[in-house]
Structure formats: structure tokens, C-alpha cells
Amino acid sequence: MNKIGLVGGGAREHIMAETLRKSGLDIVAFAHNLNPGIKKLAIKYNQIDESKVSDIAEEMSREGIDMAVVGPEKPLVLGITDLLEKKGIRVFGPDKKGAMIEGSKYFTRELLNRNHIEGNIKYQFIKDRDNASRVIESWEGDFAIKPVGLTGGKGVKVLGEQLGSRREAVDYAFELLEQYKEGFIIEERVYGEEFTLQAIVSKNNFIPLPLVQDHKKLLDGDNGPNTGGMGSYSMEDGNLPFIPEYDKIKAVKIMKDSIDAMRREGVNYKGILYGGFMETADGPLLLEYNCRFGDPEIINILTSLKTDFYSIVKGTIENNIDTVAFNPVATVCRYVVPRGYGTRPVENAEITVEDSLSSMDNPRIYYASVNMDNGGIYTTSSRSIAVVGYGSSIAVAEEKCGYGVGKIHGNLHSRTDIGKKESLERKIANIAALRKGYTHHTHP
Ligand code: GLY
């Protein structure tokens, strides 16, 4: 039996563990938290901070592991792939240079800029206070301020949302300059609907996966503070109802051009490339790249995946992917989070999951940032459990998912509108209104 090292303890890694286990692999887990789902599937569970990349590499080598899958961005950005490969362990995930695509927002914007890749937006890199005040005061229109490096999904603030005025923006910019030595970037604010396009990438392969839409805001109707993602859906045809085919093609091209540009510059990217896009009246614009699967987006992808996931992992590493096929199902995933998540989450609160839910095929549940103690499951400050439903239509998938969420109890919160008809109609109407108001836009 092959042993595989799995780094990360969220729902993303739980679903990976489940699919790898189905392919007969013995999982050795490495995660900071004790994820009950992964614990059940793994032959060995090492509770360790995922940023201790040297220790993880040592332990994998001692365990005789010859292949590893890395879920979260932090160990990738810290160079876990390079360390493991030096020890002869093959890795599904980019090396340190490749992971720069998420590790530095400045690197990504510059990559697109110098290679004349479409989808870039107006931006400026700022490293000192004088420039910060000058650029913020004179910037035309609204903007977003983003720390350059990793901040665990936090740190992005938008004028008109989290920033009430330019004065506030300058104060925030100063705060960032104190906190992060890499500085920050200021970007034009773009309007539309966000969507996720992920691709499997190796030297000779670039395989786009079905489109998914995550919901970053805490509350129904896309209101409230930003979160790590409250839930996501995908459609049975792999597209989204507000993305025309030509814009999907554009987004694929932006990502492929970026990978090709990196290759020309000496970086052979391998693993998953996550493109976070805004569908605008101008078509898709790139908001960010991530160097790993999205969470929750991976849950939509692996729930509808027909091909054995391990064959994809192996094929990516060996640079010879045969096929990637999907079942024609829609999927809806909702996160259950501690009450107060996004501001003041209720930590260490017990969660109970009805027994019947744990053994169901549809819906399925995946544990995220929870801890197990004496057989009980407890919240942390982050997302708790992902519930996914699937079916021949989004209505069926949504209903299945909602049924599952109803079987989880505690001091918890979950959005109720993800994948619902009214929510999809609102998104379609939003894009239609933007396009109407835009007079210079032409399509091929
Ligand atoms: N769903 C957002 C992310 O994975 O970054």
C-alpha cells in the first residue's frame, strides 16, 4: 500500500483525504488542529503547525513517504515542495518560486504587466509613507488596499466598504507599512460578480476545471464582513449562469498565459492554479491567484469529479495526465461557522452532528477548523464544517445541502441563500445591469 503525506487540517484536506483513501492510499496527516474527519481516515496524525516545513519534511522522510499533497498556501510559499523534493519526496504543489504567484501580489501584477497578459487592473506598489499618502489622496476613483504577502485571507480593505474615507485609507496604509515589511499594493476597485476558475497545471498540462462561485460575505445577500468563504456552488454543465462562454475562454487564456510566462522566466509550475476573477462589464479581470485549491471550491470540484483524484495527483507530478472527467451534477456547499465569525467568533463551543448525517452520501460533511477533545467537537475562531449536496439540478443540490446543515447543532451560523434561485437571478441581473450601463464594450 502506498503512503501519502497530507499537509493541512481543513475541509479542503478532509475531502482530499477521503478521495485518496478511496484510491487505497495510506494517509499520514500533518495539521495544526485535530480534524476529526482526517483523523478517522489517516494511519498516522501528526499535530504540527503547517509552517514548520523543515520538521514536516524530516518526518515525512522518516516515515518512508514518497509522495505528498499540500493543501494550504503557507507551507508552499515557505518552500515545503523544495525541501521535500530534495529528500526524494514527490509533491502535488508548486515550488517556492511558483508559489510566489500567491505569496506576492506584487509579483503577480508585475508578471501580467511585463508579459502583456490581459485581465490585469490598474495598480501601484507602495513601500513608504510619503508615497502612500500621495497616491491615496490623488487616486482617481475607488480602490482596494492589499498587503503584498500572505495574510490568511485578511487584510484587504476597499474604499467605500471597510474604508469610509481616504483619511481612513491613509491610516490603514500606515498600519500596513508598520506591520509588513513587503509593503502593500493599491488597486483600482472593480465591480461585478466574483468567480473562481481553477486549473490543473504541470509542464505539459493545463486543464481548466469547472467554474465555481464562492461567497465571501458573511451574511445572506452578500452583506456583512468578508470571510474565508461561506459556501459555493457549481452547475451541472461546469459553467456559471452569469459568465458567457467567451469570458470563460478569456479567463482560461489569462491563466494559461500566466503559466506560460512563468515557464519562459524559468519557473515550471506544478499543482493547482486558482484564479480569483471579477466578471465585469469588461469581461473577467484578475483579482488574485492562489497556488492551491480553493476552500470551499475544492468541495464542489471533487464532489462532481468522475476521474480518480489520485490519478490526477500522480499524473500532475509525472506530467502525463490522461483524462479529467466530471459527472453532470450541480453542487452546493455551505459552511457552518461559529456564531460571531468574522468579528468575534464563539470559540470552544461544542458542535453536535446527528449520527445519520455522518454516514450519508448526499449530503456529505467535511470538518474544517474544529478540534476534537474527549470525543466532542469544538469550534475554533475559523470555519467549522462544510456541508455539500449534489444533484441533477442546482435546486436538488441546494435542498440536499440545506437538509445536511439542519442536522448540525450548536452556537453556529450559516448562510441560507447559496445556490438558491433568487440569489442566482440577482447575480445574473447584476451583470446584465453592468453591461447595459457600459457603452464601449464589444464582444468577439
Ligand atoms: N475560497 C477562497 C480561497 O480559497 O481562497
Side-chain angles (χ1 to χ4, degrees):
M1 186 90 51
N2 284 345
K3 263 192 202 171
I4 195 157
L6 176 65
V7 182
R12 169 180 47 210
E13 290 78 24
H14 182 182
I15 193 168
M16 287 204 257
E18 183 189 71
T19 48
L20 292 168
R21 185 70 212 120
K22 273 192 196 140
S23 306
L25 287 137
D26 277 345
I27 293 153
V28 179
F30 297 82
H32 70 282
N33 58 321
L34 188 52
N35 180 309
I38 301 174
K39 176 86 176 85
K40 218 168 164 180
L41 295 160
I43 56 161
K44 188 163 180 212
Y45 200 108
N46 300 278
Q47 223 176 324
I48 181 169
D49 186 332
E50 292 92 350
S51 53
K52 293 200 165 149
V53 287
S54 304
D55 295 346
I56 295 174
E58 281 298 325
E59 185 54 28
M60 281 204 199
S61 177
R62 248 196 311 275
E63 278 285 337
I65 288 166
D66 66 1
M67 193 181 279
V69 173
V70 183
E73 63 278 10
K74 194 144 185 210
L76 292 167
V77 170
L78 291 172
I80 196 168
T81 299
D82 311 58
L83 292 175
L84 289 168
E85 286 179 348
K86 261 192 213 139
K87 293 182 183 297
I89 301 168
R90 304 183 299 162
V91 187
F92 182 72
D95 63 11
K96 196 171 185 173
K97 281 190 185 155
M100 283 280 280
I101 208 148
E102 176 165 2
S104 168
K105 293 189 172 64
Y106 176 61
F107 169 87
T108 297
R109 290 279 170 228
E110 290 281 292
L111 177 82
L112 267 69
N113 196 19
R114 72 175 165 271
N115 289 286
H116 310 290
I117 297 169
E118 276 194 56
N120 216 359
I121 57 181
K122 190 178 140 200
Y123 69 98
Q124 193 158 335
F125 172 53
I126 295 177
K127 262 197 109 164
D128 63 80
R129 288 167 71 106
D130 284 352
N131 248 340
S133 325
R134 194 177 46 76
V135 172
I136 288 172
E137 297 299 350
S138 61
W139 190 276
E140 224 175 274
D142 290 348
F143 52 77
I145 289 182
K146 303 181 174 180
V148 166
L150 290 187
T151 55
K154 294 174 190 79
V156 176
K157 290 199 180 183
V158 178
L159 183 64
E161 283 198 17
Q162 299 84 2
L163 301 168
S165 66
R166 284 176 194 246
R167 186 63 250 164
E168 253 181 61
V170 172
D171 290 344
Y172 180 58
F174 287 178
E175 231 176 83
L176 290 183
L177 291 172
E178 293 274 304
Q179 211 176 335
Y180 302 107
K181 62 176 182 345
E182 306 101 317
F184 69 90
I185 56 173
I186 178 167
E187 292 179 355
E188 77 177 288
R189 182 179 181 185
V190 289
Y191 295 88
E193 283 291 332
E194 286 189 37
F195 69 95
T196 304
L197 172 63
Q198 299 167 101
I200 303 165
V201 182
S202 69
K203 194 161 177 231
N204 297 325
N205 298 284
F206 182 92
I207 303 169
L209 298 172
L211 296 180
V212 181
Q213 189 178 35
D214 185 15
H215 296 70
K216 295 258 167 61
K217 300 280 182 180
L218 181 70
L219 305 172
D220 282 11
D222 295 324
N223 293 308
N226 272 326
T227 70
M230 290 299 295
S232 49
Y233 66 91
S234 63
M235 308 296 279
E236 56 275 29
D237 62 358
N239 295 319
L240 290 170
F242 55 89
I243 309 279
E245 185 63 21
Y246 48 75
D247 280 347
K248 181 178 175 185
I249 292 169
K250 268 191 195 169
V252 169
K253 183 167 175 350
I254 291 167
M255 286 176 58
K256 176 132 191 351
D257 286 352
S258 304
I259 290 296
D260 290 344
M262 282 178 98
R263 194 169 298 133
R264 283 195 304 274
E265 296 181 5
V267 182
N268 272 318
Y269 194 94
K270 153 177 64 67
I272 294 295
L273 180 66
Y274 170 115
F277 287 93
M278 182 74 87
E279 175 67 1
T280 70
D282 271 329
L285 298 176
L286 183 74
L287 297 177
E288 62 176 0
Y289 278 139
N290 293 328
C291 62
R292 39 75 187 172
F293 266 123
D295 183 353
E297 290 95 327
I298 187 175
I299 295 174
N300 307 91
I301 297 293
L302 293 193
T303 299
S304 54
L305 183 68
K306 192 171 176 186
T307 309
D308 170 48
F309 178 55
Y310 177 55
S311 76
I312 295 175
V313 168
K314 201 161 164 294
T316 304
I317 290 172
E318 293 171 359
N319 193 25
N320 62 354
I321 299 176
D322 262 356
T323 154
V324 178
F326 287 86
N327 292 309
V329 293
T331 64
V332 173
C333 176
R334 277 168 60 186
Y335 254 115
V336 173
V337 301
R339 195 158 293 286
Y341 174 61
T343 47
R344 288 172 64 192
V346 180
E347 293 182 53
N348 293 319
E350 189 163 12
I351 303 175
T352 51
V353 177
E354 288 184 30
D355 283 347
S356 61
L357 184 59
S358 303
S359 53
M360 271 182 201
D361 171 62
N362 186 17
R364 297 176 192 163
I365 64 165
Y366 297 100
Y367 289 97
S369 287
V370 288
N371 272 312
M372 210 165 60
D373 192 18
N374 265 332
I377 295 163
Y378 296 88
T379 58
T380 64
S381 59
S382 214
R383 298 173 294 183
S384 307
I385 301 178
V387 182
V388 64
Y390 65 91
S392 54
S393 70
I394 188 116
V396 175
E398 196 280 325
E399 196 263 321
K400 293 274 183 196
C401 177
Y403 176 81
V405 171
K407 303 231 164 265
I408 300 175
H409 309 287
N411 201 358
L412 302 163
H413 161 74
S414 175
R415 270 182 72 158
T416 64
D417 60 341
I418 295 167
K420 285 228 172 96
K421 191 165 170 264
E422 308 73 51
S423 170
L424 298 192
E425 282 172 357
R426 190 167 47 80
K427 290 163 193 299
I428 295 166
N430 182 21
I431 292 295
L434 279 173
R435 287 192 193 285
K436 257 198 199 147
Y438 188 77
T439 48
H440 309 292
H441 192 54
T442 51
H443 294 303

